[in-house]
Amino acid sequence: MAVQRSEPVSIVQLGAPLGEGPVWVERDAALWFVDIKSHRIYRLDPATNTTRDWQAPGQCGFVLPCADGGFVAGLQTGLARFDPVTGTFQPLVDPEPQLPGNRLNDGTVDPHGRLWFGTMDDSEAAESGTIYRLGADGRCVASTPHCAITNGPAFSPDGRTIYHVDTAMGLIYACTVGDDGTLTDARLFATIPNAEGHPDGPTVDAEGCVWVGLYNGWGVRRYSPAGELLEEIRFPVSAITKVAFGGPEHKTLYATTASKHLSDAERAEQPHAGDLFAFEVDVPGLPGVEIRHGI
């Protein structure tokens, strides 16, 4: 059964080169997201339809809320504490000091309050990216094999399954998550041919279905927990980078998009490329979780 209730609409006009990382922050009922290539962090207040932004010290792949009221930002130079009141960044840890060409790309918080994030080659060529978990001791634990462009991860409602994306190869993987955060039983969840778009940032709804944005695919897909394609929502722009549930009932699906890959002619045909989109669905997402470990 289709769960889409409305068409995707541009709600914040940015024309971002690489919009990414939408996350609904429960404590202030707002959507936070970034533009990686412009080094900007954004906060949208849907109640007032106002947007605020901050300058990051470099490329920023995500901002995620902490239980103590602050945020952690994923920068090219590693994890950092971000204070939106002062606009300052305090370095925490660089997971890959030996790989200066890598940057942090995407992240999430599991149901236990643990931060997970991915790295990637900024030139999108070398298979030097991996998914990390931030341990309780503040160290980063590499948890997946290397690939060129990591995306996700995202978690099943019970936190027992993690989904992570190898964007360049068009592959979505699932792994079983142990109580200590160890990943086992890695398996292929879904394959998306390059001609249909590249799987980008994922999220999971309350039924355990996996939603994923398609870069150069003009849409968003919803897969069952068994990996069956259930639905595809088409967009008026070609590159959908990540989706996130929000709103008071978690039935608004927000989507960041990109424009950096477009020619001048393609930009003219896609005037809303790089904007933040939203549409309504029948099946809600899950309430957000704050980071409680390792910081």
Side-chain angles (χ1 to χ4, degrees):
M1 182 181 69
V3 301
Q4 177 188 3
R5 287 172 43 198
S6 66
E7 295 297 320
V9 180
S10 168
I11 60 169
V12 179
Q13 290 73 49
L14 294 173
L18 188 55
E20 260 288 5
V23 59
W24 182 258
V25 178
E26 304 288 342
R27 64 181 181 235
D28 65 352
L31 186 86
W32 292 71
F33 61 104
V34 302
D35 177 2
I36 295 176
K37 296 303 180 182
S38 297
H39 307 177
R40 306 300 294 182
I41 295 171
Y42 292 92
R43 176 188 181 273
L44 168 68
D45 181 350
T48 61
N49 197 32
T50 56
T51 304
R52 185 181 175 190
D53 64 285
W54 294 259
Q55 182 73 40
Q59 296 188 95
C60 181
F62 59 84
V63 287
L64 293 167
C66 304
D68 62 8
F71 288 82
V72 167
L75 304 175
Q76 180 154 7
T77 52
L79 298 174
R81 289 298 300 261
F82 166 57
D83 183 349
V85 176
T86 62
T88 56
F89 295 79
Q90 178 183 354
L92 288 173
V93 59
D94 181 356
E96 298 173 339
Q98 79 284 8
L99 295 172
N102 270 18
R103 65 172 174 82
L104 275 61
N105 187 50
D106 197 2
T108 194
V109 186
D110 74 13
H112 302 287
R114 298 177 296 204
L115 171 63
W116 297 73
F117 62 94
T119 61
M120 62 171 282
D121 174 23
D122 192 38
S123 65
E124 304 181 5
E127 293 187 353
S128 57
T130 193
I131 299 291
Y132 289 87
R133 171 176 52 85
L134 183 64
D137 59 1
R139 293 188 296 178
C140 299
V141 181
S143 299
T144 66
H146 288 289
C147 67
I149 305 175
T150 62
N151 263 294
F155 287 86
S156 61
D158 63 4
R160 294 291 184 180
T161 302
I162 185 174
Y163 302 95
H164 66 93
V165 179
D166 181 338
T167 295
M169 299 303 292
L171 305 174
I172 305 174
Y173 291 97
C175 301
T176 299
V177 186
D179 291 339
D180 62 354
T182 301
L183 303 187
T184 59
D185 188 27
R187 55 205 182 269
L188 186 61
F189 174 75
T191 300
I192 298 176
N194 287 347
E196 298 175 12
H198 301 277
D200 211 312
T203 192
V204 177
D205 65 26
E207 292 183 348
C209 293
V210 178
W211 293 76
V212 63
L214 298 178
Y215 200 102
N216 275 340
W218 298 85
V220 169
R221 288 184 174 183
R222 182 180 187 243
Y223 290 87
S224 76
E228 175 190 3
L229 177 59
L230 300 176
E231 190 171 358
E232 182 166 339
I233 290 88
R234 304 299 291 172
F235 276 64
V237 297
S238 60
I240 294 79
T241 55
K242 186 165 185 176
V243 286
F245 289 94
E249 297 180 335
H250 302 100
K251 288 186 175 181
T252 300
L253 199 59
Y254 294 96
T256 46
T257 66
S259 65
K260 73 180 183 72
H261 62 299
L262 300 177
S263 66
D264 289 343
E266 288 169 332
R267 288 174 187 270
E269 294 172 352
Q270 300 179 44
H272 291 294
D275 291 357
L276 177 71
F277 283 76
F279 61 98
E280 301 300 313
V281 294
D282 286 323
V283 176
L286 300 165
V289 184
E290 298 176 327
I291 303 167
R292 297 195 301 270
H293 302 284
I295 56 170

